[in-house]
Structures are given as C-alpha cells and as structure tokens.
Amino acid sequence: YFGIGPTDRQSLVYTPAVFGSQRDTLNALLNGAALCHYPLRDEGLVGLADWIDRSGITIFCSIASVFRQMSATLAEGRTFSQVRLVKCGGEATYWEDVDRFEKHFRSDARLFCGFSMTETNLVTHSFVSRGQARRGSRVPLGIPVPGKEVLLLDERGVPVGPGETGALCVRSRYISTGYVGRPDRSAPVFSTDPEDPGIRLFATGDLAVRLADGSIEFKGRADLQVKIRGFRVDLVEIEQEILAVDDVVEAAAAAQDFGAGDKRVVGYLVFRPGGNATLARVIEHLEARLPSHALPSHYRLLGSLPQTQN
C-alpha cells in the first residue's frame, strides 16, 4: 500500500503498547526505511511540525486527532515539502482534516485513512483523493483488506441492509484470541465462528453503515450514541458542529443525568485565546444545524480539555 523503501524516513509517534506502533515499527525496519521517534507524550504538539521538517520525514503516521490538532496550529502558507504520505488512523477522519491536508502538504502527497485496532490489525483501507465526492462529515473507512470481513449487525445479531446503521463486527482468522488473563472482558466481544473454529469474530463497539460502493462509513461509538427524550443523539456529531465555529479549538459533548431520568447534553468548549468565539455564536450555530433534542442545555468553558497520557 505505501511503497516504503530505503529512502523513506517514517515517524513513530504512537505509544508502543498499541498495534499502530508495532505496524509502523515493522513497516519501516522490514523495508529499510529510517524510523524516527517523536516522544509526543513528553514533548507535546508544540514542536511536532518543526520536528517533521528537521527529521526529513517522508511518511507521517498519526492518530487522526493528533494530526487535527497539529495542523490547526500551523501558520498560513506552511507546507511540508518532504512528506509524500500521511497515514491517519485510530479514530474517524473528517473532511476538515482532508482540507487541512490539502492546504499544508504538497500536491502529490497522498492521504491514507484506515480502520484498525489492536485486537484486529488493519480492517479497512482507503486513499483519499483530492476532489473526492463528499458525503456527511466523516471520511469513509474504505473497503475491507484481504482476509478481513466486516459484518454490520442489528441488536439481534442479524445483518442490516445496505444504508442501514449496524454494530461493526470483524470476522477473520487473523485477529486476537482474547485479552490475556481477562476472560471476563474477552467473552462479551470475542467469539468463534460456528461454521469454522479457525475463524473468530470481534465486536468492536463501533457503529457503521455500508455505502453503495461497498465502502464502510463510521457512524460513531455505540457507547457515544445516547437517548435524549427518546431520541437517539450522536455526541460526536455535536462535537463536530461545535468545532465548526471559528476559534473553537477543542470541544466535547457528554450526556449527564440530572436526576429522575432527566438526561441532558452538556457541552465543554475551549476558545482560542484572543479569538472571536463567544458562547452566543456557538449556540446560534448549533440551533441552526441540530434538532432541539441534540442541543446542549448546559455549557462549560475550559482552558483546555483533560487528556489521558496517550
């Protein structure tokens, strides 16, 4: 897929504990490329762009949110002239990420979006082309790779029809056998195919839809789909609409219980210092684009969103 060779210099920004790190390490070393480690947890995003240039990176491998946050810090006209390939994974990629890619990377650079996780290795793959037709806010996950089958199931475990949202399950002989020493965690998500004991299934906890061309479109996490006043609400969709407001740099949406079954959406926002964002502008933007049951009823302004080590 990537044409990695001895002239390449590939980044390593993932923590060693996940599949992405193993993939990037082996991809580089088994193909003669230089592997360049950036300690993201210690150094943060501030110096990442300069490090890419200084290290002569030709293949930049990143979690989608890290790419998003880094590109948001770039000055107008900043271009990475040496990078020929950007690989985004770990979570959904949005069309606004593609816009930033096209803005800050050379015209012949390629953007790869794949769906993978530690339990399954790579599941789907897609190269995003410039000028590609867009549908919704998220970039499709692409088509399954050889040896992997994507099943989209309803609540009864029955495959859903084309265009219908279902729980994403991976079927393959090339996935994990379970979590070491944790049968209690393995049993709910790992199972063996009744027709072939050599094939396993893994319930990812993601929701997706199969498009007309056979590609898979991510629809969010099942645990981030909540019910508000009987309506299904996608918290990620709310976050994306908040982030569409100028000078909002970080956002999170959460469903909180206010007692007696009164569940409401709460929005957490981080404004760019010195920017023009106001809470009134955010509310006006959301009211024009979201149904009433999806509108946050409370907001909290923060200096930054709390983050895990990874």
Side-chain angles (χ1 to χ4, degrees):
Y1 294 142
F2 309 133
I4 303 173
T7 60
D8 281 310
R9 297 178 63 80
Q10 182 184 279
S11 69
L12 178 63
V13 297
Y14 283 86
T15 172
V18 299
F19 157 71
S21 176
Q22 300 168 28
R23 172 203 59 204
D24 292 347
T25 298
L26 294 174
N27 275 353
L29 299 184
L30 292 178
N31 290 285
L35 183 66
C36 307
H37 175 239
Y38 180 79
L40 183 65
R41 187 175 67 184
D42 299 325
E43 299 294 333
L45 288 166
V46 176
L48 180 55
D50 289 339
W51 175 84
I52 291 173
D53 282 338
R54 189 170 61 250
S55 302
I57 298 299
T58 61
I59 302 176
F60 179 55
C61 310
S62 176
I63 298 171
S65 58
V66 171
F67 174 84
R68 185 175 309 128
Q69 294 176 48
M70 181 201 72
S71 58
T73 68
L74 300 176
E76 194 72 25
R78 175 72 181 270
T79 303
F80 296 99
S81 59
Q82 301 176 85
V83 178
R84 67 172 183 84
L85 172 66
V86 174
K87 290 163 51 188
C88 274
E91 56 203 16
T93 303
Y94 293 86
W95 288 115
E96 65 180 30
D97 301 324
V98 178
D99 292 338
R100 288 172 174 163
F101 166 78
E102 294 180 348
K103 182 178 180 181
H104 295 291
F105 291 81
R106 67 194 202 195
S107 60
D108 64 339
R110 306 185 75 190
L111 175 62
F112 175 87
C113 298
F115 174 64
S116 63
M117 58 194 68
T118 301
E119 293 90 343
T120 63
N121 198 314
L122 188 64
V123 178
T124 65
H125 73 287
S126 171
F127 282 101
V128 182
S129 60
R130 296 173 187 264
Q132 179 177 330
R134 300 185 177 190
R135 175 183 180 273
S137 61
R138 302 180 179 98
V139 177
L141 301 175
I143 61 175
V145 299
K148 299 286 171 59
E149 182 182 359
V150 171
L151 306 177
L152 301 180
L153 310 175
D154 63 16
E155 294 177 352
R156 300 166 297 164
V158 176
V160 300
E164 297 181 5
T165 299
L168 196 158
C169 181
V170 181
R171 179 179 184 272
S172 175
R173 62 180 70 250
Y174 308 113
I175 60 176
S176 168
T177 56
Y179 302 114
V180 176
R182 293 299 304 270
D184 56 321
R185 287 192 59 200
S186 301
V189 293
F190 288 99
S191 60
T192 300
D193 191 310
E195 298 180 2
D196 186 343
I199 295 179
R200 295 182 297 280
L201 295 95
F202 175 67
T204 68
D206 296 306
L207 299 174
V209 61
R210 197 181 309 273
L211 303 179
D213 63 359
S215 63
I216 307 298
E217 184 180 69
F218 180 72
K219 301 298 287 186
R221 292 284 301 173
D223 51 12
L224 291 178
Q225 302 273 318
V226 298
K227 286 288 189 72
I228 302 293
R229 303 201 304 272
F231 295 96
R232 186 176 297 278
V233 173
D234 183 352
L235 297 176
V236 176
E237 182 181 0
I238 299 173
E239 293 172 354
Q240 287 305 302
E241 288 295 348
I242 296 174
L243 287 169
V245 179
D246 289 342
D247 293 324
V248 176
V249 293
E250 293 184 277
Q256 294 187 8
D257 194 341
F258 283 76
D262 181 16
K263 186 170 288 187
R264 308 178 194 175
V265 177
V266 179
Y268 298 85
L269 306 92
V270 178
F271 291 163
R272 188 186 309 280
N276 296 318
T278 65
L279 187 54
R281 286 188 177 183
V282 172
I283 293 174
E284 181 182 7
H285 175 86
L286 296 184
E287 287 180 341
R289 288 166 175 80
L290 294 176
S292 60
H293 57 266
L295 293 173
S297 58
H298 296 71
Y299 294 89
R300 289 192 63 185
L301 301 181
L302 305 173
S304 63
L305 291 184
Q307 298 182 353
T308 66
Q309 287 187 332
N310 293 338

